[in-house]
Amino acid sequence: MREEEEPNWFARWEEQLPSPEELTPLSQTLITPDLAIAFDIPGGGGGAGEEPARTLKRPRLVWTPQLHKRFVDAVAHLGIKNAVPKTIMQLMSVDGLTRENVASHLQKYRLYLKRMQGLSSSAGGTAGSAAGGGAGGPISAADAATDQLFASGPVPHHFLGRGPGPEPFMPFVPVAALQHHQQITAAVQQQHQQQYYQQRHMGHFGSPTTGGYDHGFLARTVPQPGMHRMVGSAAVGLVSPPPPPAPSAASYVDDLESGSRGGGGGRRVLTLFPTGED
DNA sequence: TGCACAATAT
DNA sequence: AATATTGTGC
């Protein structure tokens, strides 16, 4: 009793085919505008047509421990009063980093500090203990997750328990003073699934158009305890040595050591900016 | 205007 | 949850 083939099945099938306009062009560039920005590829924004730069949307910034460290260092050396988005941004001198980026991060960082204040008063907890999770664990699981980033670096002590008062002298550090440091480029992430292309070729992946952009950190989700993994990708950059001054793209990680936290021992990590506290 | 900041949106 | 965007007051 099976139905025999209808004579017009083909016709119906044909009718349901999508119109040409509905089909995605087969000849689509593999490098999307966003990706192009992320890697600072000149021709990326264009392809078939140059779109106004203002129209292009910046990819999401990923706050890697390295970036965050710069952030914290900058805030630490500015003092609470001067630690405002613009100033922080300047001090960080990270290529591609916007004021908005910093503002958003700062907002969350302040919340983190506030939480820590409350905790320290009752439990006497430090950043380490709060994030360590090993002790007590009065904080929510969500907070613990958040703290992974923020606690990945030491929180300057004087951040806490400090009301509106005159900061210890450290008025200003001209950006010029930092110039001798390597300028790092903000790590940036695609919003959508984008192509697995990127994911898969992470690390050993040369640009078809420009030279190579091995820049360490692309969208790694949930940094594992052993974050050397992440540094590992940066290490990949070392494996295939990027010729120093690539014409348009220069992105490096400066302090790989910054990832070392409490568990690493009492080792002192040199901060980006001279604090005098070291 | 531009900025900081908080609130809200994705 | 992590960033981005928006709204408000200065």
Side-chain angles (χ1 to χ4, degrees):
Chain A
M1 292 106 167
R2 59 152 172 269
E3 63 243 28
E4 293 301 329
E5 299 178 42
E6 302 182 20
N8 58 347
W9 73 266
F10 185 88
R12 287 203 279 144
W13 170 78
E14 195 173 14
E15 283 173 1
Q16 291 175 5
L17 287 179
S19 63
E21 296 84 34
E22 295 173 297
L23 295 175
T24 53
L26 193 57
S27 60
Q28 214 172 20
T29 172
L30 286 176
I31 310 283
T32 69
D34 282 358
L35 240 199
I37 291 182
F39 289 96
D40 204 12
I41 300 173
E50 296 267 348
E51 300 203 30
R54 62 175 177 277
T55 304
L56 295 182
K57 182 181 54 175
R58 275 184 184 262
R60 255 174 108 98
L61 178 81
V62 177
W63 282 92
T64 64
Q66 284 79 21
L67 256 189
H68 177 68
K69 183 180 187 305
R70 280 215 162 190
F71 170 84
V72 173
D73 283 348
V75 172
H77 292 281
L78 282 172
I80 303 293
K81 298 187 313 185
N82 297 328
V84 295
K86 190 182 180 183
T87 318
I88 296 173
M89 182 195 76
Q90 291 172 157
L91 202 57
M92 288 177 71
S93 68
V94 170
D95 188 30
L97 190 68
T98 72
R99 190 169 55 86
E100 286 77 6
N101 289 143
V102 176
S104 184
H105 193 64
L106 178 62
Q107 186 177 13
K108 204 183 171 191
Y109 186 63
R110 282 172 173 158
L111 282 162
Y112 166 76
L113 290 182
K114 200 199 270 181
R115 283 207 335 256
M116 287 247 302
Q117 285 196 67
L119 249 59
S120 62
S121 62
S122 62
T126 64
S129 69
I139 58 181
S140 74
D143 287 345
T146 297
D147 290 351
Q148 277 228 273
L149 204 220
F150 288 155
S152 68
V155 175
H157 48 285
H158 51 275
F159 274 25
L160 303 177
R162 209 182 202 54
E167 287 294 323
F169 32 72
M170 291 175 94
F172 239 61
V173 180
V175 180
L178 307 170
Q179 291 297 305
H180 62 86
H181 259 285
Q182 279 183 340
Q183 290 239 141
I184 66 178
T185 299
V188 122
Q189 176 190 33
Q190 284 305 289
Q191 252 189 337
H192 310 302
Q193 349 113 16
Q194 218 52 260
Q195 48 268 61
Y196 1 42
Y197 195 43
Q198 162 183 335
Q199 291 267 13
R200 305 193 151 244
H201 297 66
M202 266 243 313
H204 32 339
F205 173 110
S207 166
T209 57
T210 71
Y213 28 64
D214 330 64
H215 93 229
F217 22 57
L218 260 196
R220 202 77 193 106
T221 47
V222 244
Q224 289 290 348
M227 214 149 31
H228 325 301
R229 294 270 174 120
M230 167 159 253
V231 174
S233 59
V236 172
L238 300 178
V239 172
S240 54
S248 55
S251 48
Y252 304 94
V253 188
D254 49 286
D255 15 11
L256 301 178
E257 209 66 58
S258 63
S260 61
R261 66 210 102 266
R267 173 162 183 204
R268 288 222 166 220
V269 179
L270 286 183
T271 56
L272 186 58
F273 317 108
T275 66
E277 292 170 356
D278 298 310

